[in-house]
Amino acid sequence: MVRLLGRSGARPNRRPSGPRPSQTTGPSPSPQRDTGTSHLRSALSGRSVAGQVFVLQVVIVLLLVVAAVVALVLQVRHDSTKEARNRSVAVAEAFANAPGTVEALRGPDPSAVLQPRAEAARKATEVDFIVVMNTDGVRYSHPRPDRIGKKFVGTIAPALAGRTVTEEIDGTIGPLVQAVVPVRAADGKVVGLVSAGITTESVGGAANQQMPLVLTAAAAGLALATAGTALVSRRLLRQTHGLGPHEMTRMYEHHDAVLHAVREGVLIVGGEGTLLLANDEAHRLLELPDDAEGRHVRDLGLTPDTAGLLASGRIATDEVHLVKDRLLAINQRSTDSQGGPPGSVATLRDSTELRALSGRAEAARERLNMLYAAGVGIGTSLDVTRTAEELAELAVPRFADFVSVDLYSAVLSGGQPEAGKALRRAAASGIRKDAPLYAVGEQIRLVDSAPQARSLGTGQAVIEPRLSEAQGWRAQDLERSAQVVEYGIHSLITVPLRAGTLVLGVVSFWRSQKPEPFDSDEVELAEELVARAAVSIDNARRYTREHSMAVTLQRSLLPRSLPEQDALEIAYRYLPAQAGVGGDWFDVLPLSGARVALVVGDVVGHGLYAAATMGRLRTAVHNFSSLDLPPDELLSLLDELVGRIDQDETEEGSSAPVTGATCLYAVYDPVSRLCTIARAGHPPPALIRPDGTVEFPDVPAGPPLGLGGLPFETVDLELAEGSRLVLYTDGLVEDREHDIDVGLELLRTALEQAGRSPEETCQAVVDARLPARPSDDIALIVARTRALAADRIAEWQVPSDPAAVAEVRASVSRRLAQWGLDELTFTTELVLSELVTNAIRYGGEPIQVRVLYDRTLICEVFDSSNTSPHLRYAAMTDEGGRGLFLVAQLSERWGTRYTPEGKVIWAEQSLPRDAGPLIK
């Protein structure tokens, strides 16, 4: 009661004019029966002072009992542990010092002597076990014979040093204390160990003897507390038996203050419908006149249904009535249900305010739902424009009727936003499509007074509750602003898109359907919504920037066009993954002797690191191929390079090693129609014969690049003219739905149905095998073989005689005349003279000369020596050293190619303009 008065503040000024409650609402108190039973029942009641004293005394007694029991248990445990420790040490020392123990330990069968003794001593001393063991901890005795010969479980190192050790452990028989003592020989040497142990439960028992005494004392204490409480209760009841006028007046004033302070209307209506009492809240809710008490409820100006309910006296529970502009929930009960005077009591509760509060709660719930939907639905992709669209779509129509997202142009391409630059509308959404707002993609230059410009400048949200009166907004575009207001859009919130210190753009929320303008609560919601979206847009911007950099890097590393050559007719496809940039690559490399190298590789992973690694490997292949190395040797060098890259990356700790890098290298010779292939963990090539049959040649797989230590093998394939060699990366034949074997069979089916040209073959494979959303890059090369015509090849065997050089020059001159290349006769004779002379002078037999008429005129001189000539500058007095210099000056390219039988020195000359290659 005191608390209620404290909350209600000052006592109400007005008082009801009707009779007091003591005169109208209930019988007079009956005389109190002063019996022992009523005193005891009152004493045991927790609502009385005596009952509270009783509960307090019971709690104190229980705490004392619990403390005594706990102290007893702790003392017993301490005494039990101490007794167990003393007994185990005494028994172990007694047995260790017993006569015959040392002799038994040194005997041939210690267990036969010590086991019965130990068991007899254990039973006599009532310990749980006596174990005798040697200095290695191997048991000679144990209560369970099957454990004899096994290692003792416990600490024996101190005992081996001559000290006694005790320890408490949880054994299989429960908590116990065991002691380990040394057995000393006459010379003081420790020859064995004795351990005795006993459980603490075996030496306990005092608690069980003392517990009844403690419980008896507790029961006595409770009995005394009950008797004392009854006496105190009787005395209190006698002292408060009658109340004087002052106490009765004070009680009435307290009840009256509480009645008028509660925030619920209270009406007391007599049996004839007369209003006996109405508190202040009832007067306010029903708008009763000051003299309402004592009048009939039908004469108070209430609505007929409300007055009828109050006059009827019937029971009602939360019955809603419309009184003026309020919805009142009325509860009514009769006062004569337990012998009271006739009439009813009604309580009134204003549900209008409750419904308003419920509406605010519903708005808060919708706000939370919208923020949750923003966290889930915004940022589902790493695309800046799509993320902006998700924000606009989410806010319409749940928060605004129209939403526009304007971003700096640099943000759309992944760059850093620059303040002061023009904005571009990235996304827009609305309840209708014909709103006169800026269209998506339109560039917008803001004036300083525009709300969007102010948001960008201050970094804070700006609200324009009435656009028709916002002169700064209208100054942005007078004509369009008038159209917007005429369209019905009347309120605006602009919020800057901020990600950390970066301002990416601005979001505008427009309202047209609801007549009320945006308020401050809605500004806070808009800020939270935009803050969540800004993080996703910034993530998409960063991804776009990195993706653009990776794509640029990858495009710069991949071949922009294929080199000119006549040995192979080539078509290719490079299909990037749906997201990210991978490390797949390919190349076509012309080699000496009209040969062509095909290479395809794959670096596992996506992003800048995979693209950069791919570029390093492709550059390495370019460099190694210029040495005219066989495929297996080239892959070996590439493998060493990857190993060094991994080592460098590991030392720096900046990135992961190159794992999963694969490569296939093939060299095709149009003269011999041989294709030499080697692969390092790469999928095998496919071969389409001229008749359309498809096969996968058995090319040894080899380990992936970077493993090192394993050789690579080559395979020579003789390809008929018109054969198609298909090279690809694993993205074409592997995915999550099936393994590589299934993918190879599907590729075989697609190749069997492809057309005859490489371009048709590429397109057929892509149409049949390209997944809808590729998760990995795909590189595909289709090369159809050609052969150099026999009449475009000239070969001569040259004896190891300087006189043979003249015959070579004459033969070459005749062949060039047949080919119509008379312009090249002089230079060709000079080049071959120098190369053949070097072979005769420094090389070994056999010596062979071959001239090929391809896109260039190729001169080759073979000898069996592995010594390579070197270009040098001869001094004025030197007789030799000028031959290769002349060859280098007269030729477009020259070099040395090694073979298993020796070496080939070759030189290429450009053809005259009116000459051309002849490839079948």
Side-chain angles (χ1 to χ4, degrees):
M1 183 181 298
V2 175
R3 289 194 300 268
L4 289 174
L5 287 174
R7 292 177 184 175
S8 62
R11 177 180 175 184
N13 294 325
R14 53 179 307 280
R15 285 290 180 264
S17 61
R20 296 177 178 241
S22 61
Q23 300 173 351
T24 62
T25 61
S28 61
S30 61
Q32 183 175 351
R33 298 178 178 87
D34 189 12
T35 64
T37 304
S38 62
H39 287 310
L40 182 60
R41 183 182 303 111
S42 177
L44 295 177
S45 174
R47 291 171 294 180
S48 66
V49 175
Q52 294 176 359
V53 173
F54 172 77
V55 172
L56 178 61
Q57 291 180 349
V58 170
V59 171
I60 293 175
V61 172
L62 288 177
L63 289 176
L64 292 175
V65 171
V66 171
V69 171
V70 172
L72 178 60
V73 171
L74 293 177
Q75 183 64 35
V76 169
R77 180 176 299 175
H78 176 267
D79 294 343
S80 299
T81 303
K82 184 176 180 180
E83 176 64 21
R85 187 184 301 271
N86 294 337
R87 187 183 300 183
S88 61
V89 171
V91 172
E93 288 180 347
F95 194 93
N97 298 323
T101 302
V102 175
E103 288 75 14
L105 287 171
R106 290 177 173 177
D109 190 1
S111 294
V113 178
L114 295 175
Q115 174 67 6
R117 292 184 183 179
E119 286 301 294
R122 180 182 66 81
K123 294 176 181 178
T125 58
E126 296 182 354
V127 296
D128 289 296
F129 67 87
I130 297 177
V131 175
V132 184
M133 69 198 86
N134 62 11
T135 56
D136 295 329
V138 178
R139 300 187 185 103
Y140 289 147
S141 67
H142 196 277
R144 295 183 182 178
D146 59 334
R147 299 191 179 181
I148 296 175
K150 298 181 179 179
K151 294 286 287 186
F152 174 72
V153 180
T155 304
I156 64 174
L160 293 175
R163 299 192 302 274
T164 299
V165 60
T166 61
E167 56 183 344
E168 298 178 27
I169 64 172
D170 289 328
T172 58
I173 59 176
L176 57 85
V177 178
Q178 67 179 14
V180 182
V181 300
V183 179
R184 299 178 183 271
D187 55 359
K189 181 180 180 182
V190 177
V191 297
L193 305 172
V194 176
S195 175
I198 184 171
T199 59
T200 55
E201 183 180 0
S202 301
V203 296
N208 295 332
Q209 298 175 2
Q210 299 179 12
M211 189 65 68
L213 179 61
V214 174
L215 295 179
T216 302
L222 287 175
L224 291 175
T226 303
T229 302
L231 293 175
V232 172
S233 175
R234 184 174 182 178
R235 184 170 183 177
L236 289 175
L237 289 174
R238 282 201 308 268
Q239 291 178 351
T240 59
H241 183 267
L243 297 175
H246 177 71
E247 289 79 7
M248 291 293 296
T249 302
R250 185 174 60 183
M251 181 179 293
Y252 168 76
E253 290 177 349
H254 289 169
H255 282 81
D256 188 57
V258 172
L259 179 68
H260 291 280
V262 296
R263 297 294 297 169
E264 191 171 274
V266 179
L267 298 174
I268 299 178
V269 181
E272 298 178 356
T274 302
L275 179 63
L276 302 179
L277 176 66
N279 68 350
D280 291 346
E281 186 68 9
H283 274 268
R284 184 182 72 85
L285 295 177
L286 297 176
E287 298 183 3
L288 298 176
D290 294 339
D291 59 347
E293 285 84 355
R295 298 170 56 182
H296 199 277
V297 293
R298 297 187 184 274
D299 300 333
L300 300 178
L302 302 176
T303 58
D305 57 339
T306 304
L309 172 63
L310 297 176
S312 67
R314 61 181 175 85
I315 296 176
T317 302
D318 286 337
E319 190 171 306
V320 179
H321 290 257
L322 178 62
V323 179
K324 302 296 176 61
D325 57 346
R326 293 187 177 93
L327 289 174
L328 301 182
I330 302 177
N331 290 273
Q332 185 168 265
R333 295 292 184 273
S334 174
T335 58
D336 60 357
S337 59
Q338 297 182 354
S344 61
V345 176
T347 60
L348 312 174
R349 186 173 65 254
D350 190 354
S351 63
T352 305
E353 298 179 358
L354 294 178
R355 293 195 177 188
L357 181 61
S358 176
R360 289 194 294 270
E362 179 67 20
R365 185 183 65 82
E366 174 62 22
R367 173 175 178 170
L368 291 176
N369 289 340
M370 185 182 301
L371 293 178
Y372 172 77
V376 175
I378 298 177
T380 58
S381 67
L382 291 173
D383 182 79
V384 175
T385 302
R386 180 54 194 155
T387 305
E389 292 173 350
E390 290 171 346
L391 168 61
E393 293 168 359
L394 176 73
V396 176
R398 300 173 66 176
F399 179 69
D401 298 323
F402 300 91
V403 176
S404 58
V405 181
D406 304 323
L407 301 176
Y408 288 109
S409 299
V411 174
L412 295 172
S413 58
Q416 290 281 103
E418 299 181 14
K421 297 292 184 179
L423 297 173
R424 189 171 298 277
R425 180 137 300 176
S429 181
I431 56 176
R432 295 188 298 273
K433 301 296 184 182
D434 56 345
L437 300 173
Y438 288 110
V440 174
E442 191 169 350
Q443 192 175 25
I444 305 172
R445 291 193 175 274
L446 300 173
V447 299
D448 295 338
S449 62
Q452 292 85 352
R454 284 183 282 154
S455 293
L456 293 174
T458 62
Q460 303 295 326
V462 174
I463 180 173
E464 290 288 355
R466 296 174 180 82
L467 291 177
S468 58
E469 303 173 3
Q471 298 301 322
W473 169 74
R474 298 173 69 91
Q476 173 66 34
D477 189 335
L478 295 177
E479 182 180 356
R480 187 183 297 271
S481 300
Q483 294 174 355
V484 169
V485 173
E486 184 180 356
Y487 187 79
I489 298 176
H490 59 82
S491 188
L492 166 66
I493 295 176
T494 63
V495 183
L497 269 164
R498 299 182 59 184
T501 59
L502 294 180
V503 179
L504 308 176
V506 64
V507 182
S508 301
F509 300 91
W510 314 80
R511 173 170 288 179
S512 63
Q513 286 193 329
K514 292 183 180 180
E516 62 273 9
F518 285 115
D519 56 26
S520 58
D521 291 339
E522 291 171 316
V523 172
E524 294 179 0
L525 176 57
E527 289 177 333
E528 293 184 21
L529 195 63
V530 173
R532 293 172 181 257
V535 176
S536 299
I537 291 177
D538 188 54
N539 289 339
R541 178 190 68 84
R542 294 173 182 270
Y543 172 80
T544 301
R545 180 185 61 189
E546 294 184 2
H547 182 71
S548 300
M549 293 171 59
V551 168
T552 302
L553 175 62
Q554 185 188 46
R555 289 177 178 174
S556 66
L557 295 175
L558 289 173
R560 292 182 174 84
S561 61
L562 297 181
E564 295 182 355
Q565 48 81 33
D566 290 323
L568 297 170
E569 180 185 355
I570 296 176
Y572 67 92
R573 295 288 189 276
Y574 185 85
L575 307 171
Q578 185 70 22
V581 175
D584 292 14
W585 54 284
F586 67 93
D587 238 323
V588 179
L589 306 172
L591 302 178
S592 64
R595 297 171 306 135
V596 176
L598 300 176
V599 59
V600 63
D602 183 8
V603 176
V604 174
H606 295 84
L608 284 174
Y609 182 71
T613 304
M614 175 267 288
R616 297 170 75 176
L617 296 183
R618 180 171 178 261
T619 302
V621 171
H622 270 263
N623 294 332
F624 294 153
S625 66
S626 64
L627 301 177
D628 264 331
L629 297 175
D632 55 340
E633 294 184 17
L634 185 142
L635 292 182
S636 297
L637 293 176
L638 203 61
D639 180 64
E640 294 179 6
L641 174 64
V642 173
R644 288 195 297 272
I645 293 175
D646 287 349
Q647 183 178 2
D648 294 341
E649 298 293 347
T650 303
E651 291 177 355
E652 294 181 4
S654 57
S655 57
V658 183
T659 56
T662 64
C663 183
L664 185 147
Y665 189 80
V667 177
Y668 174 69
D669 187 349
V671 178
S672 61
R673 291 184 290 106
L674 285 180
C675 184
T676 305
I677 305 175
R679 62 189 179 112
H682 202 80
L687 178 62
I688 308 176
R689 299 290 183 181
D691 58 359
T693 58
V694 180
E695 63 180 274
F696 292 94
D698 186 13
V699 180
L705 299 176
L707 296 183
L710 296 176
F712 298 97
E713 301 181 48
T714 61
V715 169
D716 291 331
L717 303 177
E718 185 175 354
L719 305 181
E721 188 175 1
S723 300
R724 282 168 287 169
L725 189 64
V726 181
L727 309 181
Y728 52 89
T729 55
D730 58 358
L732 189 66
V733 293
E734 283 185 314
D735 55 34
R736 298 178 180 177
E737 298 179 357
H738 50 71
D739 57 17
I740 189 171
D741 293 333
V742 177
L744 291 176
E745 288 303 317
L746 295 175
L747 177 60
R748 180 196 300 271
T749 302
L751 293 175
E752 290 174 345
Q753 299 173 356
R756 299 189 62 84
S757 71
E759 186 65 33
E760 293 173 342
T761 305
C762 279
Q763 192 59 45
V765 171
V766 169
D767 293 342
R769 296 293 303 128
L770 181 63
R773 296 179 60 87
S775 58
D776 194 8
D777 294 1
I778 296 175
L780 173 65
I781 302 177
V782 179
R784 184 165 63 182
T785 62
R786 295 170 176 168
L788 190 62
D791 59 354
R792 293 301 176 104
I793 304 172
E795 293 181 290
W796 300 277
Q797 293 292 334
V798 180
S800 183
D801 183 0
V805 176
E807 182 60 31
V808 170
R809 289 200 299 267
S811 300
V812 167
S813 298
R814 290 192 295 270
R815 182 53 62 95
L816 293 180
Q818 295 176 5
W819 289 341
L821 301 177
D822 298 296
E823 297 180 14
L824 300 179
T825 301
F826 175 75
T827 57
T828 304
E829 287 181 353
L830 185 56
V831 167
L832 283 179
S833 296
E834 294 298 335
L835 296 180
V836 172
T837 300
N838 280 337
I840 294 174
R841 180 176 299 178
Y842 304 109
E845 294 183 333
I847 300 173
Q848 183 177 357
V849 174
R850 186 173 71 171
V851 180
L852 305 178
Y853 180 12
D854 190 33
R855 283 187 171 270
T856 59
L857 184 65
I858 304 171
C859 300
E860 297 180 340
V861 177
F862 169 82
D863 66 82
S864 59
S865 172
N866 290 323
T867 303
S868 176
H870 298 284
L871 182 66
R872 64 187 180 89
Y873 291 95
M876 296 295 295
T877 58
D878 291 341
E879 295 183 1
R882 298 176 178 82
L884 288 180
F885 181 78
L886 291 176
V887 171
Q889 295 298 314
L890 297 175
S891 303
E892 185 177 352
R893 294 193 310 155
W894 76 280
T896 304
R897 179 173 72 250
Y898 292 93
T899 67
E901 296 81 14
K903 69 174 182 297
V904 176
I905 302 178
W906 55 270
E908 293 184 5
Q909 301 177 71
S910 300
L911 298 177
R913 294 183 179 180
D914 56 349
L918 180 59
I919 294 290
K920 291 185 178 179

